[in-house]
């Protein structure tokens, strides 16, 4: 073992501040230098100085209380900093997961008139049972729910004959944000000859249909 490694090993086990630990290491290396000038080898000096743990224990027993307090403070800080960092990262991640909504008029992605027009266009295609057009204007995950069979099944849950579309009510829209994903969500009530239903439609930032719910 070299003098450098020996001194560093002892200093590392002393419970004191970093500054004091450096002083102890330097003191030990100075003792090595003085002994070598007297003709001793590093191995002989290490043998005379003794066991690393015993020397570290002696330093710990003779250090003032203030140094031990500094050691505890540094240790707490060393543990606390990464813990706090992890907590902050988790808090940021959780914040990103919390859904946020804002008025569509304040959106930097969606235009209110464009979203409303798109809603009415989607509803018209749904009324016509135009599965191909709906699928081409929707995200892939929506395609199984926009087949001709699926559309008929949805309508049948309310009544077998909706009749002609008579009017659209007021459209209410909002922007939904979660994990940096933006959606425009709108609700509108549509009156038919034999029934009135409310559509809840979602669109991604490319204005592709991303969700449809009818009640």
């Amino acid at each position: 073992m070299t003098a450098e490694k020996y001194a560093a090993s002892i200093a590392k086990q002393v419970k004191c501040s970093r500054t004091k630990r450096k002083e102890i290491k330097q003191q030990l290396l100075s003792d090595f230098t003085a002994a070598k000038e007297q003709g001793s080898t590093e191995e002989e000096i290490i043998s005379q100085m003794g066991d690393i743990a015993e020397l570290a224990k002696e330093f710990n027993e003779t250090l003032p209380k203030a140094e031990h307090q500094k050691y505890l403070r540094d240790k707490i800080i060393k543990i606390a900093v990464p813990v706090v960092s992890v907590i902050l990262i988790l808090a940021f991640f959780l914040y990103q997961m919390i859904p946020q909504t804002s008025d569509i008029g304040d959106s930097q992605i969606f235009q209110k008139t464009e979203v409303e027009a798109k809603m009415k266009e989607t509803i018209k295609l749904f009324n016509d049972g135009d599965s191909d057009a709906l699928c081409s204007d929707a995200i892939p995950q929506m395609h199984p729910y926009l087949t001709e069979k699926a559309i008929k099944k949805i309508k049948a849950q309310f009544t077998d004959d909706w009749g002609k579309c008579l009017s659209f009510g007021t459209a209410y829209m909002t922007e939904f944000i979660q994990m940096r994903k933006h959606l425009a969500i709108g609700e509108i009530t549509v009156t038919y000859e034999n029934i009135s239903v409310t559509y809840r439609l979602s669109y991604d930032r490319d204005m592709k249909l991303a969700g449809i719910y009818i009640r």
Side-chain angles (χ1 to χ4, degrees), residues 126 147-157 159:
F126 183 84
T147 63
E148 185 177 347
K149 182 178 179 180
I151 293 172
K152 288 181 178 179
K153 185 177 180 180
I154 292 171
K155 289 182 176 180
Q157 291 177 354
T159 178

Side-chain angles (χ1 to χ4, degrees), residues 8 18 23 69 74 85 113 122 156 166 200:
R18 290 183 181 181
E23 290 179 6
Q69 291 174 338
D74 291 345
S85 298
T113 54
T122 299
L166 300 178
R200 183 180 177 89

